[in-house]
Amino acid sequence: MKSLGMIFLFVLAVTSTFSNGVVIPQFPLEQDSGGFVMNTHNVHITVEDGIATVIIEEEFENTSTRLLEAVYLFPIPSSAVISDFTMKIGDQILKGEVLPADEARKIYHEIVAKMKDPALLEYVGTQLIRMSIYPFEPGERRQFFIEYSQPLEISSNSYSMIYPLKIDSFLSAPIGSVSVRISVPLQIAEVYSPTHPFVETTGVSGREYVFIGNDLIPNSDVALVLTSSEDEIPSSLATHWDESTNEGYFLLTLIPRIKEEIVIPKDVVFVLDISGSMYGEKIEQAKRALEQVLQMLRPGDRFAIVTFDGRVHNLTGSLLDASEKAEWIEKVRRIQADGMTNIYGALQTSIDMFSKYDTGRFKALLFLTDGEPTEGITDIGRIISDATPEARARNVHLFSFGVGTGVVAELLDRLVQENAGRVSYIIEGESIEAKVTDLYRSIETPALENVTVSIENLDVKKTLPEGPYSLFSGQALRISGIYFDEGDMRVTVEGTRGGEKYRYEYLFKTSKRSDSPFIERIWAQKRIAHLANLYRYDPSLTEAEKDELKLEIIALSKKFNIINEFTSYLIAPERVQTYTAGDRGGLGAAPPADSVMAAKSVAEMEQDQFVEGGSSDYTFVDGIGFTLEEGVWIQDDEEVNTLESLGLAAYSEAYFELANRSDWVAKVFALGDRIRFIYKGVLIEISDEGIQTLDELLDALNKQ
């Protein structure tokens, strides 16, 4: 049985924030007989004076072939004030009832035992809105409306909240249409989500940020940070204190809002791989992306276009004024793909097009390829070592796009690390056009270059990412780190714009409040990404030093429940790969697809995106690893193979008693109905057979 437990796990973990409703049939449905699907899930959040008003609209449909009796459940956030909760059937409006935690717990247990799925155990301990649904006719649709208000958590001059979108419930298909819309007043400078790509837009009541998804299977909850606007560079400091380690984590957000009294012109060189492997949809998407970038050029900007296969084609010959872009849009549409891949020549030609002396211009090289170097100089080290000093001499920012699984991740990663840029990996199913244009939109208005950030008056460690940085108008630079006491933090930001120097000073206060746990996870992801790049690419490391990095990556991954394509190599290599590890941190001999996916994971962590999933047969429960082997979730602990097991029947009286005794055990049970784990030194084995009653459980535990 596919476990739904990890979906509900996070919902319970954030009952002080927002939760979604689920429709549960009164009796288990037969396999392949259909079920409940969610057609729409629309959320509108309005923020004013630190209060969020949340309106949720969900539509469920009975796709089974029979009339069903069901119940709609909605966990209530502890600080929320419910103003409306209704179900609509045609013109009929029905209200729900609110149940206390004790009665809710009983309902959860009854449903778990009846449905033979442990997922609902994760709701235990919260209050509950319940509404009975009968009859629910085949093909019928029901709409649910929830409205409530809730004060947001405040830290320095920012608000934070989490909306748990990570739901599967008992749906038999992806959610048809999902939208999360947040409306903010002018006092909010930016809404930032490390988990979902929100787009700023203009709504009926002012500025809005919107996330939209279609046919969506949510795999991450929505984390939001709302930063207030006060200074020329509106900045904020959000913190989270870990009582167990007596240290705190901070997220420093710098958002440039420099008035463009002098528009900074840009030089943009677009370098496009047109080798034979780009033939078809890849080249068409890339051409559309290039066309969109040309359309976005401003007066005073300059551009150049270089394509390459086995040879290098300097199409424009030199940097051209933006006024000539219309003519070149037509020429771009006629580009064709064929030939080999001369990456070395393409980089040398494109970098040489930038002047060393135009200090008042922002210089960006957008480099797109789907393969490895096969023509000209193909040695990766030589390509990087020859391109880097020339790019630095011209102050060029290099942005790489790796398309598909045939690219050399080391080459693209190292190029952007050495040249103040960013890398983006575009795998099957993702849009080249969207990735390129989104990146260009974010760098369209440069604010400050060669930025350094210094932190004084407070002891901080392991700040990431390391500078120097570049800042762009309307975008944020986020720096994470660890602090050890509450107090004043003085931050100095220095950089250049149009050849002029700028300096800004800020004073923040750290605290020992423990109300923003996502901040420590952002830091952990940045730290893992930093260590991963050292592990993979630093040639000066000894094997002993690489082993130390590996151990820290594994420890961070387990502590903060972060598993992805890179960390899975290190945490459970025997379950992820069977080939011999090479000199690149276990990736040197990896198949190209695995290498690219690992690099993609590291790049996403560096760019503040929460990375979910990874290996489908490995997961965490509060930092404890579990692997799925032949349908059984087994705790990743050597003692599992040495202890004598105690059999426990799933969904029995003894099963629920053990779940009630330990929150961690309840979360473990949410993995499925076949599990082997260690509880207080006893190896527990959950299956269809085993002890059933409370007396048997107590007697067995006492004998251990």
Side-chain angles (χ1 to χ4, degrees):
M1 178 186 67
K2 177 184 176 182
S3 172
L4 306 174
M6 293 306 293
I7 302 300
F8 289 103
L9 167 59
F10 201 85
V11 176
L12 259 197
V14 293
T15 52
S16 61
T17 53
F18 307 139
S19 298
N20 296 302
V22 294
V23 171
I24 300 171
Q26 292 292 85
F27 300 97
L29 297 176
E30 297 176 3
Q31 190 174 8
D32 301 325
S33 66
F36 293 111
V37 299
M38 186 185 290
N39 293 325
T40 59
H41 182 103
N42 300 322
V43 184
H44 188 190
I45 305 168
T46 304
V47 176
E48 187 171 357
D49 296 329
I51 303 295
T53 300
V54 183
I55 299 176
I56 302 170
E57 176 188 348
E58 299 171 316
E59 181 184 88
F60 290 87
E61 181 178 352
N62 177 7
T63 61
S64 74
T65 57
R66 59 175 175 152
L67 181 148
L68 294 175
E69 180 179 0
V71 61
Y72 178 89
L73 302 178
F74 184 88
I76 305 173
S78 60
S79 60
V81 178
I82 305 293
S83 55
D84 188 29
F85 171 57
T86 58
M87 177 176 66
K88 185 176 180 181
I89 312 172
D91 295 330
Q92 185 181 11
I93 302 295
L94 301 175
K95 296 284 185 179
E97 61 176 323
V98 179
L99 303 177
D102 289 345
E103 188 171 349
R105 178 188 294 267
K106 180 180 178 182
I107 291 173
Y108 295 139
H109 284 181
E110 290 175 351
I111 295 175
V112 170
K114 179 172 56 182
M115 305 302 291
K116 299 300 182 184
D117 192 304
L120 286 175
L121 283 176
E122 298 309 326
Y123 282 124
V124 173
T126 183
Q127 296 185 84
L128 185 71
I129 286 179
R130 179 180 66 175
M131 178 180 289
S132 296
I133 311 172
Y134 184 81
F136 205 143
E137 302 282 353
E140 185 180 9
R141 300 183 178 189
R142 299 285 182 98
Q143 292 177 311
F144 298 87
F145 301 89
I146 304 102
E147 180 176 347
Y148 58 88
S149 298
Q150 182 176 6
L152 299 178
E153 297 294 335
I154 300 175
S155 179
S156 186
N157 65 329
S158 65
Y159 304 104
S160 62
M161 58 183 285
I162 294 175
Y163 184 86
L165 187 64
K166 187 178 180 180
I167 53 173
D168 258 354
S169 66
F170 290 83
L171 302 178
S172 58
I175 303 174
S177 173
V178 176
S179 70
V180 181
R181 183 182 305 270
I182 179 166
S183 301
V184 296
L186 293 176
Q187 292 77 16
I188 299 297
E190 187 203 37
V191 174
Y192 158 62
S193 172
T195 57
H196 290 76
F198 277 74
V199 176
E200 183 176 0
T201 183
T202 301
V204 176
S205 57
R207 290 168 52 242
E208 293 185 342
Y209 292 77
V210 182
F211 165 75
I212 295 177
N214 295 307
D215 295 324
L216 185 70
I217 300 176
N219 62 2
S220 176
D221 299 292
V222 180
L224 293 165
V225 178
L226 294 74
T227 305
S228 64
S229 177
E230 293 181 355
D231 305 311
E232 186 178 11
I233 299 182
S235 303
S236 67
L237 179 72
T239 62
H240 175 74
W241 187 259
D242 186 340
E243 294 286 353
S244 64
T245 60
N246 202 34
E247 62 186 20
Y249 300 85
F250 68 84
L251 176 64
L252 174 62
T253 302
L254 302 175
I255 308 173
R257 290 284 189 256
I258 298 175
K259 296 180 180 178
E260 286 200 349
E261 297 173 353
I262 301 176
V263 176
I264 303 300
K266 299 183 299 300
D267 288 342
V268 181
V269 177
F270 196 99
V271 186
L272 175 60
D273 184 347
I274 59 168
S275 59
S277 57
M278 285 288 293
Y279 182 81
E281 180 60 21
K282 287 182 185 179
I283 194 67
E284 293 304 317
Q285 281 199 47
K287 286 168 17 180
R288 290 195 295 268
L290 174 52
E291 180 179 338
Q292 183 64 27
V293 169
L294 291 174
Q295 295 280 18
M296 295 165 69
L297 291 172
R298 297 182 172 199
D301 291 345
R302 298 186 302 197
F303 71 95
I305 302 172
V306 175
T307 62
F308 67 97
D309 43 28
R311 297 184 300 165
V312 179
H313 311 278
N314 188 343
L315 300 187
T316 57
S318 63
L319 287 163
L320 304 179
D321 189 81
S323 60
E324 300 186 46
K325 63 185 181 183
E327 173 187 349
W328 280 92
I329 287 174
E330 292 300 321
K331 294 181 179 180
V332 164
R333 293 171 181 169
R334 296 196 291 270
I335 291 175
Q336 299 295 317
D338 189 25
M340 303 290 280
T341 310
N342 188 349
I343 290 178
Y344 181 93
L347 284 172
Q348 292 296 318
T349 298
S350 56
I351 291 172
D352 285 344
M353 300 181 77
F354 295 97
S355 170
K356 295 181 180 180
Y357 308 106
D358 290 335
T359 57
R361 304 182 71 86
F362 180 81
K363 302 166 187 176
L365 192 157
L366 278 61
F367 179 75
L368 187 149
T369 182
D370 77 331
E372 61 180 315
T374 58
E375 189 75 15
I377 295 175
T378 59
D379 180 73
I380 292 174
R382 173 79 182 278
I383 294 173
I384 295 168
S385 63
D386 285 0
T388 296
E390 293 299 320
R392 288 180 176 176
R394 294 163 171 78
N395 199 28
V396 174
H397 301 260
L398 200 153
F399 301 92
S400 294
F401 301 88
V403 182
T405 58
V407 297
V408 179
E410 178 183 1
L411 172 61
L412 301 188
D413 285 350
R414 296 284 296 280
L415 280 173
V416 300
Q417 290 168 19
E418 299 289 343
N419 297 287
R422 177 180 290 185
V423 65
S424 182
Y425 291 97
I426 306 165
I427 60 175
E428 184 178 357
E430 293 185 302
S431 168
I432 299 172
E433 182 181 4
K435 284 290 187 76
V436 175
T437 54
D438 284 352
L439 183 279
Y440 186 78
R441 188 174 290 111
S442 71
I443 67 172
E444 187 178 13
T445 311
L448 293 176
E449 292 184 86
N450 303 311
V451 176
T452 59
V453 179
S454 59
I455 301 174
E456 302 172 339
N457 289 4
L458 198 70
D459 185 19
V460 298
K461 301 291 185 183
K462 298 181 180 178
T463 56
L464 295 165
E466 299 176 339
Y469 319 95
S470 289
L471 292 172
F472 303 95
S473 296
Q475 300 295 314
L477 168 64
R478 295 183 174 83
I479 299 175
S480 299
I482 297 176
Y483 66 99
F484 302 95
D485 205 352
E486 55 187 358
D488 293 335
M489 176 188 288
R490 184 178 299 277
V491 179
T492 302
V493 179
E494 295 180 291
T496 60
R497 185 174 191 270
E500 299 291 328
K501 293 184 177 181
Y502 289 80
R503 177 186 173 91
Y504 304 89
E505 292 186 356
Y506 304 95
L507 185 65
F508 302 105
K509 287 187 177 294
T510 60
S511 73
K512 291 188 175 181
R513 294 176 56 184
S514 304
D515 50 13
S516 301
F518 72 92
I519 292 173
E520 63 181 6
R521 190 165 188 232
I522 290 177
W523 172 84
Q525 290 196 161
K526 286 180 178 290
R527 179 68 178 170
I528 290 173
H530 173 70
L531 297 175
N533 280 324
L534 292 177
Y535 185 87
R536 295 155 73 207
Y537 300 140
D538 190 339
S540 67
L541 292 177
T542 65
E543 287 302 315
E545 289 171 330
K546 289 178 67 175
D547 286 342
E548 288 184 8
L549 292 179
K550 175 179 177 179
L551 291 175
E552 184 175 353
I553 290 173
I554 292 174
L556 289 170
S557 300
K558 289 186 174 183
K559 178 178 180 180
F560 295 100
N561 288 4
I562 297 172
I563 184 168
N564 52 72
E565 283 78 6
F566 178 78
T567 57
S568 64
Y569 284 109
L570 303 180
I571 295 172
E574 70 280 2
R575 289 184 285 272
V576 178
Q577 57 188 33
T578 57
Y579 45 83
T580 302
D583 295 332
R584 297 295 177 192
L587 301 181
D594 294 332
S595 178
V596 171
M597 290 304 295
K600 176 179 171 67
S601 292
V602 173
E604 288 175 344
M605 287 189 287
E606 286 182 311
Q607 296 163 24
D608 293 328
Q609 300 176 35
F610 277 173
V611 188
E612 302 290 343
S615 176
S616 61
D617 64 353
Y618 199 93
T619 191
F620 291 104
V621 179
D622 288 352
I624 305 299
F626 283 80
T627 184
L628 184 62
E629 298 182 5
E630 298 181 353
V632 181
W633 284 102
I634 302 173
Q635 184 173 332
D636 193 357
D637 190 313
E638 292 182 358
E639 286 193 273
V640 168
N641 299 316
T642 60
L643 295 174
E644 183 178 351
S645 65
L646 172 64
L648 188 65
Y651 318 116
S652 63
E653 179 188 27
Y655 171 91
F656 286 117
E657 173 62 26
L658 198 59
N660 286 333
R661 289 188 170 203
S662 167
D663 290 340
W664 180 77
V665 170
K667 295 173 185 178
V668 171
F669 284 177
L671 292 174
D673 52 10
R674 297 185 64 198
I675 316 166
R676 300 183 73 199
F677 67 100
I678 299 172
Y679 172 67
K680 292 187 175 182
V682 179
L683 177 60
I684 307 291
E685 184 163 0
I686 304 297
S687 65
D688 293 335
E689 301 177 349
I691 60 177
Q692 302 261 353
T693 67
L694 174 58
D695 290 340
E696 288 177 304
L697 174 65
L698 296 177
D699 183 58
L701 291 177
N702 289 333
K703 290 180 180 179
Q704 298 293 326

